[in-house]
Amino acid sequence: MRVRAFAKINLSLRVLGMRADGYHELRTIFQSIALHDTLTIRASRGPFRLTCDDPACPADETNLIWRAAARMWAKAGRRGAPRGVAIDLAKRIPMQAGLGGGSSDAAAALRALAQRWRVGEAHVRDTAAALGADVPYFLEGGTVLGLERGDLLFPLIDVPAAWVVLVLPHFGVSTQDAFEWLDAFGVARGGDVPQEFLNDLEAPVVARHPGIGRIISALRREGASQAAMSGSGSAVFGLFSHRPDAVRAANRLSSAARRTLVTRTLNRQKYHRLAAT
Ligand code: C5P
């Protein structure tokens, strides 16, 4: 069985304040994009195994796929560590980029293993939220409003289809670091600026990585209708109505310090249709 795990961008990410549980209160709009990892799940004798074609990706118990498998196994009422399944991960979503790759892989693993081990939908949802704030979104897909930790979800009418230029610097940003930099920057100011499409993590991350700010400006100069950092970065996206404009911008912005790629938004219906290959 093969499943696709699609990436996301955040069309908007407002940080409204600090929560009692140490997380930040968010108001974000998630959007699925066609860029994806692929998980191949097969029956295998012995303990659960995870392999990944990218040596930089940890394939041990720290990987969210592994943790998803351990929790699903327990929810299926089985004892000990998971067995009988091997997962091969073809990693295409860059890591530490703010594109949700690890969370999407986890959600894809949850869906596939729940089917295999006959675990109910309610358990899948609970487990998703326990694995990470972004994981529940990947059970939904399309254009979705996320409140609280980003895990209280309200599906929206899908935004009009757009071409997405991703600019990927050769460095990553840890999500935890980005939120700490925001806290050090002063109070979260999200609530008082009546602008829908902003990323409140952008300024504190750009203060450490000025190159990200230059990429956002360059994408706007190239004609992007919207350009912003995705999540906690380091990826920057630009939206374009026409593919040739997106391709031209991607070509002009690629350099020795960063890679670019062109992808497109995915609506909810396509997200679910394409998820199982
Ligand atoms: O939930 P997840 O493990 O993906 O979050 C990674 C880190 O990002 C958290 O440990 C926390 O520091 C930060 N975070 C936050 N507020 C959120 C989501 C994430 O502070 N709503």
Side-chain angles (χ1 to χ4, degrees):
M1 175 188 201
R2 288 203 312 163
V3 291
R4 294 192 177 105
F6 292 104
K8 58 84 177 161
I9 53 176
N10 298 84
L11 295 176
S12 161
L13 200 173
R14 308 306 314 261
V15 183
L16 305 179
M18 186 60 104
R19 293 162 51 88
D21 62 6
Y23 272 70
H24 291 76
E25 187 74 21
L26 303 185
R27 187 173 69 222
T28 185
I29 300 176
F30 295 105
Q31 175 62 52
S32 302
I33 58 175
L35 174 67
H36 62 88
D37 294 341
T38 304
L39 284 74
T40 305
I41 296 138
R42 18 185 201 87
S44 158
R45 287 217 186 104
F48 176 79
R49 281 190 301 125
L50 176 63
T51 51
C52 181
D53 63 354
D54 179 350
C57 175
D60 57 12
E61 293 89 340
T62 64
N63 190 299
L64 275 183
I65 292 178
W66 198 298
R67 288 162 54 194
R71 283 170 183 265
M72 279 291 99
W73 184 257
K75 295 278 190 194
R78 316 223 191 164
R79 261 186 287 240
R83 301 179 62 76
V85 165
I87 298 184
D88 290 317
L89 171 61
K91 193 82 198 142
R92 298 294 171 270
I93 306 172
M95 290 175 275
Q96 292 216 307
L99 298 172
S103 300
S104 186
D105 293 345
L110 286 180
R111 280 195 309 258
L113 294 175
Q115 198 180 327
R116 203 173 186 101
W117 295 336
R118 300 182 190 287
V119 178
E121 179 70 24
H123 282 320
V124 174
R125 292 195 176 275
D126 294 348
T127 308
L131 287 174
D134 279 359
V135 181
Y137 163 70
F138 290 102
L139 298 176
E140 203 70 51
T143 310
V144 176
L145 171 67
L147 303 183
E148 298 194 342
R149 301 186 324 158
D151 55 353
L152 177 62
L153 301 174
F154 298 90
L156 303 176
I157 294 171
D158 286 300
V159 296
W163 293 96
V164 181
V165 174
L166 289 178
V167 184
L168 306 160
H170 292 322
F171 58 86
V173 174
S174 126
T175 301
Q176 194 172 343
D177 285 353
F179 278 103
E180 283 174 14
W181 296 339
L182 173 77
D183 295 336
F185 219 65
V187 271
R189 289 139 298 133
D192 48 37
V193 184
Q195 288 191 45
E196 188 76 20
F197 297 116
L198 275 183
N199 182 344
D200 287 322
L201 292 173
E202 211 169 84
V205 173
V206 166
R208 262 79 177 181
H209 297 290
I212 290 180
R214 289 193 289 272
I215 294 168
I216 296 167
S217 306
L219 276 167
R220 291 197 179 122
R221 274 200 307 278
E222 293 296 332
S225 58
Q226 189 191 337
M229 191 176 78
S230 182
S232 50
S234 59
V236 173
F237 69 86
L239 302 185
F240 293 82
S241 303
H242 303 292
R243 190 167 186 277
D245 296 339
V247 170
R248 192 185 56 232
N251 287 337
R252 302 234 298 232
L253 265 72
S254 80
S255 75
R258 59 204 190 211
R259 172 163 87 82
T260 59
L261 57 88
V262 178
T263 181
R264 62 198 163 88
T265 56
L266 274 189
N267 65 33
R268 189 165 306 115
Q269 197 187 356
K270 271 198 188 137
Y271 181 88
H272 287 283
R273 185 156 51 76
L274 297 175
T277 68

